[in-house]
Amino acid sequence: MRPQLSILFLLLPLTLGLPVWAEQPAATPQIATTYVNDAILPPSIVWHGASESLLLDGEAPWATPFEVGGFKVSPSYDETFVWLDKLVASSDLLHKVSLGKSPQGRDIWMLIASTEGADTPEALAATDKPTVLVQAGIHAGEIDGKDAGMMLLRDMVLGDKAALLDGANLLFVPIFSVDAHERSGQYNRVNQRGPIEMGWRTTANNLNLNRDYAKADAVEMQHMLGAINRWQPDLYIDVHVTDGIDYQYDVTFGYNLAQGLSPSSFRWLDTQYRPYVEQALMREGHIPGPLVFAIDNSDVSKGMSLWNASPRYSNGYGDARHLPTILIENHSLKPFKQRVLGTYVMLAATLELVGKQATSLRMAIKQDRYRYSDRITLTWGAQQQQQGWDFKGIDYRTEISPISGEKVVRWTGEPKLYENLPVIGNTLADIKINRPSAYYVAPQWLDVIERLAIHGIRMTTLTEPKTLKLTQYQLTAPQFGSKDYEGRQRVSAQLSAHGVQTTLPAGTVKIDTRQPLGDLAILLLEPQSPDSLLQWGFFNPIFTRTEYIEHYAVEPLAAQMLEADPSLQAEFTQALQDPAFAADAQARLRWFYVRSPYYDGQYQVYPVWRDE
C-alpha cells in the first residue's frame, strides 16, 4: 500500500524575506534505509549538501508529499494534483491545462508559470520571454522531476524563488506517462534507490515513450508533440534516472552533439548552459557530469561511450527539430532525496540562465532552423574522441559468481578517479545525402501524412494532377526484424534511385524542406535513416507481392520475349553463366516475369518522391 499522507494547506502571511512556514527548522537530513532493495544494491554513499536547506519540515503547511513522507515517497497521481490544484488556487502566477487524455482516461496535466499569469500559448508568446518546458515521468518510475518541480513551483509563488520567472516562463508536466505512473509498486525498479513506490517504465500499451518521438505511436506522445507545436518552448528538459554502473556523479545530463543538425544550439548548451548549471550544482553540494554510458559495465578501463542520439529519443528529436533538449539522467544508486534536490537546483539554475541569456539562446535556435545544410547525415559510425575523460568513478572488484558462473562486479563504495579514459562516440558521418528541395507523398499513405502533421511539419496538398520529373527509390532485399520492437516490425532495405517522369494525383502531399522542421522531415522520409517511417514499418505493405504468373504462362511468354528482343537473349545467356542461377528453375522463370509487362511496377517501389 502507498503510505497515507496527511497535508495541511494554509497560506500564511509573508515576512520581509521568507514566508512564515519557511522559518521552521528543517527536518534532520535522512538517508533512505527503508527501500526493499537496499540489501542487494551497492553501498550507499552518505551525502549531505547545501541544497538540503531547500527542504521543508514535514509539518510545514506547504510541505510537498515528498517532504511529508520523509523524502522517501512520491505521491500518487491523485495526491499530486490535489496538492498542485491548491497551489494553483493560491496564486495568479500559475495555471493548469490538460494536454489530452491517456489511453486509460487520465489527463496529462501541464502547469504554466509566468509573472503575467499566461494561460494560453498566445498569452505566453506575448510575454516575449523564453519558455522552458520540463517534463517528468516519461519513464514513470524515474519520477525525480515531479517532486523537484513541485517544490520549485511552491518556492516561486510562495517563497524566495519568484525572481526566476522575471526572465523566463516555465511549462511543467509533472507526470508524462500517467497510466504507467499508477502501475506503482515497491518492486518496479530493482536497481534504483527510491522512492518507496515507483511507477512502471512503459505505458499501459507497453510502449516506451522515449523510443516513440519519431514514430509517435503512443497517444501520450502525440499529445506531447502537439503541446510542443502549440506552446513553442525555447528549451526542453526530459528528466530520467539512469541505470548502469556505480560512480560519484549524482546528476548527469547531455544534449545533441556538435556533429548533429543543430550545431548552434550545441555550442550554446556546451559553452553557456553546462558551465553555469554545473557550477550551481557544485555550490549546492552535488557532483554533476556528462551522460555516463560505459562501454563495458564490468570493466570501466575500457572507457565511455559518447551518445549521438537518433530522433526516437527526446534529445535526438530535439536535435532534428532544432529545439535545444536536455536529457537529465540522475544516478539511480543515489538516494531519492539527493536526486530530487539535484534536479531542483538544476531546474532553478536553468530558469535563471535562460532569463539572462534569452537573446543568445533564441539566436542559436534561429540559426539552426534556417541553416538548410546541403548535405544531411543519416547514419553515424563509431570513432575514438580526441578528448579523454577523467572519470569520477567508484572502485570495484570482480569475482566469479557461484550463481551465474560468470564474472560479476562488486562496487566497494570508495570513490576512485579513472584518469583519461578513452571515449568512443558514434560521431563519424556514414551515409550522407544531398538535401532535396521537397518530397511528395502519395495520398493513400494516410498514416504517414498524419504522423508528419502530428510533428508539425508544414505540408501542401495538390488540388489537381501534376506531371513532374522527380527521383524515386526502388527497394530490394528487405530485412525485417526477427521480433517485434516497440509495437512494430522494423525493416531496412537496399535501394537505388531512379529519375522518373510521373503524374502525381490530386491529394498528393508536398513537403518543402526549406522550413524550420525540414531536417526532421528528411530523417522521417529518407529510407536509410534509422528512424525513418519506412524503417518503422509504416510502408511495409509495399513489400508484399499480390499478383503472380503461373509457370505454364511464363514459358510461352519467355519464348515470345526472346524472339522479339535479341538483346534480351544475350542478357539471358549472360545470366546463365551463374551456375546457381542456371540450376534454379524458379529463378529463371522469375527473371522473365520481372521483365514482362505483367509484373507489378509498384512492387518494392517507395511511394515517396524526391524533388532534387
Side-chain angles (χ1 to χ4, degrees), residues 52-80:
E52 289 178 313
S53 65
L54 298 167
L55 296 167
L56 293 188
D57 184 273
E59 298 300 319
W62 280 101
T64 65
F66 159 71
E67 292 163 319
V68 171
F71 323 127
K72 299 180 180 67
V73 303
S74 188
S76 71
Y77 176 92
D78 288 339
E79 291 166 341
T80 297

Side-chain angles (χ1 to χ4, degrees), residues 435-440 470 510-513 609-612:
R435 182 188 203 90
S437 63
Y439 292 96
Y440 292 89
L470 302 169
K510 179 182 179 181
I511 301 101
D512 194 323
T513 68
W609 295 264
R610 287 171 50 106
D611 190 346
E612 304 295 343

Side-chain angles (χ1 to χ4, degrees), residues 8 24 52 76 115 214 290 302 312 336 354 371 426 432 464 473 480 498 507 509 528 559 582:
L8 176 62
Q24 300 190 27
E52 289 178 313
S76 71
T115 54
K302 290 183 180 179
R312 74 186 63 174
F336 185 47
V354 169
R371 183 166 168 253
N426 53 328
K432 302 184 74 171
E464 58 185 25
Y473 292 124
F480 292 92
H498 303 278
V509 168
Q528 294 179 98

Side-chain angles (χ1 to χ4, degrees), residues 528-540:
Q528 294 179 98
S529 168
D531 275 325
S532 66
L533 297 180
L534 180 129
Q535 292 207 22
W536 275 114
F538 282 77
F539 292 98
N540 278 7

Side-chain angles (χ1 to χ4, degrees), residues 128-151:
D128 200 31
K129 297 176 185 176
T131 295
V132 178
L133 170 57
V134 176
Q135 74 182 23
I138 187 173
H139 295 152
E142 306 167 25
I143 203 58
D144 304 4
K146 177 188 70 179
D147 298 281
M150 292 169 72
M151 290 175 60

Side-chain angles (χ1 to χ4, degrees), residues 37 46 74 92 118 414:
N37 54 345
V46 175
S74 188
D92 293 335
E414 297 297 323

